């Protein structure tokens, strides 16, 4: 065995073959047994997988107490001169590694480099912490993986940050990350290990671009750390790295903070669709009834049906004169407004855009355009535009300039900060075919251009990709409605992981909370997809807590409360009165506590024991057909809770009871304990310290 380490922990490797063999840590993982597999694999395009045990020779070079380089040579399939080397180093208790390839024979083509790979066997179950959207906690990971589930995803393709963690039943755990400041394409997964009771973690770097001489070096380091605590403690490890990165430093500048001040008073978003006469009255009503600032995220204002004809939006559906007047009316009422456009899709069925799409769409390895069909009713083929494209950006920039001229203060650019980071194999776009950071840099250039050409216009996008934090002012996140959308495993839970890392820097809003359970339907879509009235059920009675839970998640996890498709008729519907009142209460409570929930820092949540009861959830979106709408049930705990600290050092526990009955709770942070009962459908703040007594 060889050992690398410092006072915060040591990591051991087999001297005979370089396999990771275990840890010696101040807080050791009981009963942990590393797997027998190697820590890297090369996935070749012909389906062959190259592993360390296929090397004829192995050597350890450049060994010190905190660093070693391990080298494998003598691969028949890679070439007689080929070498694979892994350099391990120790940094404050983290094992950090990177991999390099050299002198591969010309015929070798690699589809992915899998590094690092770790496999651990241990007694009992564990939870997985993953950075999907705001964040998610997956319970019973062993059981799910044993059934063939893979828990993971792609970086800036749903996963907004570069770390994951496993937390064991005793509170100890494994933390994994990559420290890539440029945005290369990668993915991270937990899967079933080779041995019983084991979990495998790996990260894939797809389609590496080999340099002359068939060589390659991974452009970042990957880390492993043993830690104690919960998901917030895992986030704290990543936070120390993340807050030093360029996107964070720029997001925290005075200029960026002052620009976002227009958003900071907002206490309720209406995510509404349709004509001015449909979206404006409920915004006015919500503003009048709540007494707090309201904002409108306006969809289906554009002349074509939703998810088609991109990037052609103007003139507006009702004509630019009426649209301009509507925006002026909203501005006069103090209702901040942004409208939807798509930031990266192009409709290949539109003749005048097709030539742009054929040239600038991201290309698969076989040269075909990467397309998707979002709208199941119109089935328009939409191309994902590569960040290296040159003609799509001017089209989009022209649309934003026209919208700015109509008096629009903000614009929503769909998808950019959610799912732009996929490989493209078209060298005409100015990048090498395969992996790279060109998608991130390309879309950053687009955002910078829009901002430069439209001074003062606020920009928002989907999800909360960290590398756009300095260019996007506001992010919509839909975690609060994960059951309605049908995301993830049903027994998973959303957690405010992104806020735990980035604190007061991001401005978040969003959910898909439908107060009556009925999504909108664009009148420009074919009637064949529209539900007939007899297919609608009393969703409010069938799923009485779902809407309130979605709103409560917004508030407690630090996002501006949001409601989707709120119509004027909902305000006077006696069946919806309780939910309307809860929505307005949530908006007022959030507004009153913005110095914590918006501008404060999320603290370790401690432990709350509350009442778990079955909750019914309707799974239904705008593209859900009648036969696909289902009601599922899972146990949920009330009250929800979080702990926040404001800029003056005040710390408070926040509680939300979304049920129609009181919820008892007991909360502790290990030092202080609070017990009590939260009234039905209400929010409570409990002070945890007395700032005036400090010092």
């Amino acid at each position: 065995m060889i050992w690398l380490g410092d006072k915060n922990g040591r990591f051991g490797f087999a001297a005979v073959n370089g396999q990771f063999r275990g840890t010696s840590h101040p807080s050791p993982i009981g009963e942990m047994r590393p797997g027998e597999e190697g820590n890297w694999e090369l996935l070749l395009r012909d389906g062959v997988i190259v592993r360390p045990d296929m090397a004829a020779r192995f050597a350890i070079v450049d060994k010190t107490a905190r660093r070693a380089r391990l080298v494998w040579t003598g691969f028949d399939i890679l070439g007689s001169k080929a070498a694979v080397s892994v350099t391990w180093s120790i940094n404050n208790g983290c094992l950090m590694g990177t991999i390099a390839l050299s002198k591969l024979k010309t015929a070798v083509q690699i589809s992915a480099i899998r590094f690092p790979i770790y496999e651990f066997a241990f007694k009992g179950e564990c939870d997985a912490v993953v950075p999907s959207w705001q964040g998610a906690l997956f319970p019973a990971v062993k059981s799910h993986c044993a059934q063939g589930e893979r828990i993971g995803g792609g970086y800036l393709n749903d996963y907004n940050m570069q770390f994951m963690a496993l937390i064991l039943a005793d509170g100890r755990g494994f933390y994994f990350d990559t420290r890539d400041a440029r945005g290369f394409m990668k993915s991270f997964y937990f899967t079933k290990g080779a041995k019983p009771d084991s979990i495998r973690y790996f990260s894939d770097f797809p389609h590496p671009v080999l340099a002359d001489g068939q060589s390659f070096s991974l452009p970042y380091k990957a880390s492993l750390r043993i830690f104690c605590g919960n998901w917030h403690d895992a986030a704290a490890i990543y936070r120390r790295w993340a807050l030093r990165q360029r996107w964070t430093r720029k997001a925290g500048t005075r200029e960026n903070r002052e620009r976002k001040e227009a958003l900071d008073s907002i206490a309720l978003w209406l995510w509404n669709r349709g004509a001015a006469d449909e979206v404006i009255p409920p915004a006015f009503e919500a503003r009048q009834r709540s007494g707090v600032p309201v904002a409108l995220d306006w969809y289906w204002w554009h002349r074509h049906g939703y998810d088609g004809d991109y990037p052609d939006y103007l003139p507006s559906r009702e004509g630019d004169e009426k649209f301009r007047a509507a925006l002026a009316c909203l501005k006069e009422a103090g209702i901040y407004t942004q409208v939807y456009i798509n930031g990266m899709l192009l409709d290949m069925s539109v003749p005048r855009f097709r030539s742009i799409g054929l040239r600038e769409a991201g290309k698969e390895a076989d040269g075909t355009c990467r397309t998707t069909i979002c709208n199941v009713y119109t089935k328009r083929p939409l191309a994902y535009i590569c960040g290296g494209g040159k003609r799509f950006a001017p089209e989009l920039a022209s649309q934003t300039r026209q919208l700015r001229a109509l008096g629009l203060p903000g614009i929503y650019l769909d998808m950019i900060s959610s799912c732009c980071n996929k490989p493209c194999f078209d060298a005409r776009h100015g990048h090498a075919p395969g992996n790279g950071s060109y998608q991130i840099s390309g879309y950053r250039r687009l955002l910078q251009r829009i901002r430069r050409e439209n001074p003062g216009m606020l920009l928002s996008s989907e999800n909360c990709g960290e590398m756009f934090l300095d260019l996007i002012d506001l992010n919509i996140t839909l975690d609060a409605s994960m059951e309605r959308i049908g995301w993830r495993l049903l027994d998973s839970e959303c957690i405010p992981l992104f806020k735990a890392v980035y604190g007061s820097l991001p401005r978040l809003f969003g959910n898909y909370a439908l107060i009556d359970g009925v999504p909108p339907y664009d009148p420009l879509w074919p009637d064949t997809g529209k539900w007939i009235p007899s297919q609608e059920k009393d969703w409010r009675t069938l799923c009485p807590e779902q809407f309130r839970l979605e709103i409560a998640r917004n508030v407690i996890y630090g996002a501006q409360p949001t409601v989707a498709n709120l119509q004027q008729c909902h305000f006077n519907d006696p069946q919806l009165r309780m939910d309307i009142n809860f929505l307005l209460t949530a908006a007022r409570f959030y507004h009153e506590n913005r110095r914590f929930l918006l501008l404060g820092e999320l603290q370790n949540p401690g432990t709350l024991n509350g009442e778990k009861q079955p909750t019914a959830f309707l799974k239904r979106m705008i593209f859900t057909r009648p036969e696909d709408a289902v009601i599922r049930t899972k146990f949920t705990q009330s009250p929800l809770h979080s702990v926040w600290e404001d800029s003056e050092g005040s710390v408070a526990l926040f509680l939300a009871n979304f049920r129609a009955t009181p919820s008892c709770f007991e909360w502790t942070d290990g030092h202080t304990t609070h017990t009590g009962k939260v009234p039905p459908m209400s929010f409570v703040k409990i002070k945890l310290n007395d700032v005036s007594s400090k010092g």
Side-chain angles (χ1 to χ4, degrees), residues 277-291:
D277 293 344
E278 296 173 300
V279 302
I280 293 179
F284 279 25
E285 186 80 8
R287 176 73 176 88
Q288 190 274 327
R289 290 202 187 197
S290 67

Side-chain angles (χ1 to χ4, degrees), residues 579-631:
D579 288 348
I580 287 288
N581 289 339
F582 184 81
L583 175 67
L584 301 177
T585 297
R588 296 185 195 107
F589 182 85
Y590 177 86
H591 189 262
E592 181 183 344
N593 292 286
R594 284 172 299 138
R595 65 189 179 97
F596 291 96
L597 300 171
L598 175 72
L599 304 173
E601 297 292 327
L602 184 67
Q603 303 298 295
N604 197 303
T607 302
L608 184 138
N609 292 317
E611 300 171 350
K612 288 191 174 182
Q613 298 178 14
T615 300
F617 292 94
L618 171 64
K619 178 186 174 184
R620 183 184 179 188
M621 287 283 288
I622 58 172
F623 297 131
T624 303
R625 299 183 185 277
E627 62 271 21
D628 297 325
V630 295
I631 292 178

Side-chain angles (χ1 to χ4, degrees), residues 325-339:
L327 294 174
C329 179
L330 289 162
K331 181 179 180 180
E332 184 179 354
I335 296 174
Y336 174 82
T337 304
Q338 64 179 24
V339 300

Side-chain angles (χ1 to χ4, degrees), residues 198-350:
S198 66
I199 293 291
R200 191 186 206 214
Y201 165 84
F202 65 86
S203 177
D204 277 355
F205 186 93
H207 307 292
V209 178
L210 303 185
D212 292 341
Q214 288 287 90
S215 63
F216 174 82
S217 294
L218 192 69
Y220 52 80
K221 293 181 179 180
S223 303
L224 164 67
R225 181 167 180 164
I226 310 300
F227 77 104
C228 297
N230 56 19
W231 59 264
H232 191 278
D233 295 297
I237 300 173
Y238 187 73
R239 176 180 167 93
R240 288 192 285 272
W241 176 81
L243 294 188
R244 299 196 302 268
Q245 304 313 304
R246 58 181 171 85
W247 58 83
T248 313
R249 297 195 306 270
K250 291 180 179 179
T253 62
R254 180 177 179 180
E255 177 187 1
N256 269 349
R257 288 187 177 275
E258 288 179 349
R259 187 175 66 244
K260 294 179 182 180
E261 286 179 357
L263 304 170
D264 289 352
S265 64
I266 296 170
L268 179 62
W269 279 89
L270 273 63
W271 184 11
N272 275 7
R273 296 160 167 81
D277 293 344
E278 296 173 300
V279 302
I280 293 179
F284 279 25
E285 186 80 8
R287 176 73 176 88
Q288 190 274 327
R289 290 202 187 197
S290 67
V292 297
V294 168
L296 174 63
D297 189 21
W298 190 351
Y299 278 43
W300 303 358
W301 61 274
H302 39 79
R303 65 170 174 163
H304 298 294
Y306 181 57
D307 277 341
D309 292 271
Y310 298 155
D312 184 22
Y313 302 94
L314 292 162
S316 62
R317 192 170 293 194
E318 299 180 281
D320 286 351
E321 183 178 344
K322 185 170 183 179
F323 186 56
R324 188 194 302 271
L327 294 174
C329 179
L330 289 162
K331 181 179 180 180
E332 184 179 354
I335 296 174
Y336 174 82
T337 304
Q338 64 179 24
V339 300
Y340 172 97
I341 65 173
N342 196 290
M344 58 181 294
L345 293 182
L346 177 144
D347 191 338
M348 295 290 283
S349 67
V350 177

Side-chain angles (χ1 to χ4, degrees), residues 315-563:
S316 62
R317 192 170 293 194
E318 299 180 281
D320 286 351
E321 183 178 344
K322 185 170 183 179
F323 186 56
R324 188 194 302 271
L327 294 174
C329 179
L330 289 162
K331 181 179 180 180
E332 184 179 354
I335 296 174
Y336 174 82
T337 304
Q338 64 179 24
V339 300
Y340 172 97
I341 65 173
N342 196 290
M344 58 181 294
L345 293 182
L346 177 144
D347 191 338
M348 295 290 283
S349 67
V350 177
R352 74 183 184 95
F353 293 145
R354 183 169 175 78
S355 62
I356 299 177
L358 289 173
R359 182 174 181 86
E360 302 206 339
K363 301 302 191 303
E364 306 289 0
D366 63 2
T368 58
C369 294
R370 181 176 293 120
T371 61
T372 186
I373 293 176
C374 296
N375 191 319
V376 300
Y377 311 124
T378 60
K379 295 183 170 59
R380 294 289 190 93
L382 306 177
Y384 289 92
I385 297 300
C386 175
K390 304 298 183 185
R391 294 172 60 193
F392 176 77
E395 289 281 351
L396 204 65
S398 172
Q399 298 284 318
T400 58
R401 290 194 302 271
Q402 293 177 67
L403 286 169
R404 183 62 167 169
L406 288 170
L408 196 70
I411 193 165
Y412 171 75
L413 296 154
D414 199 19
M415 299 177 66
I416 289 179
S417 61
S418 178
C419 54
C420 70
N421 206 24
K422 294 180 180 178
C424 171
F425 295 86
D426 193 335
R428 295 177 301 173
H429 299 165
H431 60 76
N435 209 315
S437 58
Y438 51 87
Q439 299 287 18
I440 305 302
S441 59
Y443 276 99
R444 282 184 61 84
R445 284 194 299 272
L446 172 61
L447 293 171
Q448 288 164 346
R449 173 177 180 166
I450 292 173
R451 190 173 293 291
R452 184 174 60 251
E453 294 178 354
N454 302 277
M457 175 178 270
L458 295 171
L459 305 180
S460 71
S461 189
E462 181 184 19
N463 211 336
C464 36
E466 62 183 355
M467 289 197 175
F468 299 104
L469 194 57
D470 57 320
L471 295 174
I472 295 295
D473 302 303
L474 178 73
N475 300 84
I476 188 169
T477 65
L478 304 181
D479 308 66
S481 297
M482 53 181 282
E483 297 89 357
R484 194 183 299 271
I485 298 170
W487 283 348
R488 307 170 182 155
L489 303 171
L490 184 60
D491 59 355
S492 64
E493 185 53 84
C494 58
I495 53 176
L497 199 64
F498 196 78
K499 291 288 282 187
V501 171
Y502 287 107
S504 62
L505 290 177
R507 301 290 182 268
L508 307 178
F509 79 108
N511 56 40
Y512 206 76
L514 300 165
I515 197 166
D516 60 358
V518 180
Y521 195 87
D522 193 331
L524 298 185
W525 292 343
D527 290 339
T528 53
K530 192 171 185 178
W531 288 38
I532 59 177
S534 62
Q535 292 172 324
E536 297 292 356
K537 300 178 182 179
D538 184 359
W539 305 115
R540 168 64 179 76
T541 300
L542 293 170
C543 304
E545 296 176 337
Q546 183 174 9
F547 175 82
R548 295 194 299 269
L549 173 56
E550 293 167 327
I551 301 300
R553 283 172 173 165
N554 275 163
V555 175
I556 294 301
Y557 298 155
Q560 293 171 330
T562 304
V563 57

